[in-house]
Amino acid sequence: MIERARVLGAAFRVAHLISAAGPAYCRQPIQNSGRKLMLVFEHKMVDLVADRVGSRFKQLARLVGRSGSIARR
C-alpha cells in the first residue's frame, strides 16, 4: 500500500510541474517500451521540458522498476 502511494505521489509531482500548477489538462503520453518509460512532448509543449521535470520523471520510473527518459517530437 505504501509503495502504491509513493508511485502515485511521484506521478502527481511530474504532472504538477508539467501543468504549471494550474487546472490545465496534462496530456503528455507516457510510452512503455520494455524496461524503459518515455515521457513524450510534442513540439508545441517542448518549452515545458526542464531538468526538474526530467529528474522527477526518472524518479517515477525508478519507483516502478524501469529507466526513464524524455522524448521530444
Side-chain angles (χ1 to χ4, degrees):
M1 180 76 124
I2 290 177
E3 189 62 31
R4 281 184 170 174
R6 286 186 180 137
V7 170
L8 185 60
F12 281 148
R13 285 191 295 273
V14 172
H16 186 265
L17 285 174
I18 293 172
S19 69
Y25 66 94
C26 179
R27 288 185 60 178
Q28 305 310 4
I30 295 177
Q31 296 178 351
N32 182 14
S33 61
R35 303 276 309 151
K36 189 172 191 175
L37 288 180
M38 289 178 46
L39 181 60
V40 181
F41 284 90
E42 294 189 20
H43 66 280
K44 62 184 176 181
M45 303 297 279
V46 167
D47 294 338
L48 296 175
V49 179
D51 291 338
R52 194 167 183 195
V53 173
S55 65
R56 293 268 171 98
F57 184 69
K58 287 179 182 178
Q59 179 185 23
L60 170 62
R62 272 194 312 267
L63 284 172
V64 295
R66 300 173 193 249
S67 63
S69 65
I70 294 179
R72 298 173 178 96
R73 281 192 200 170

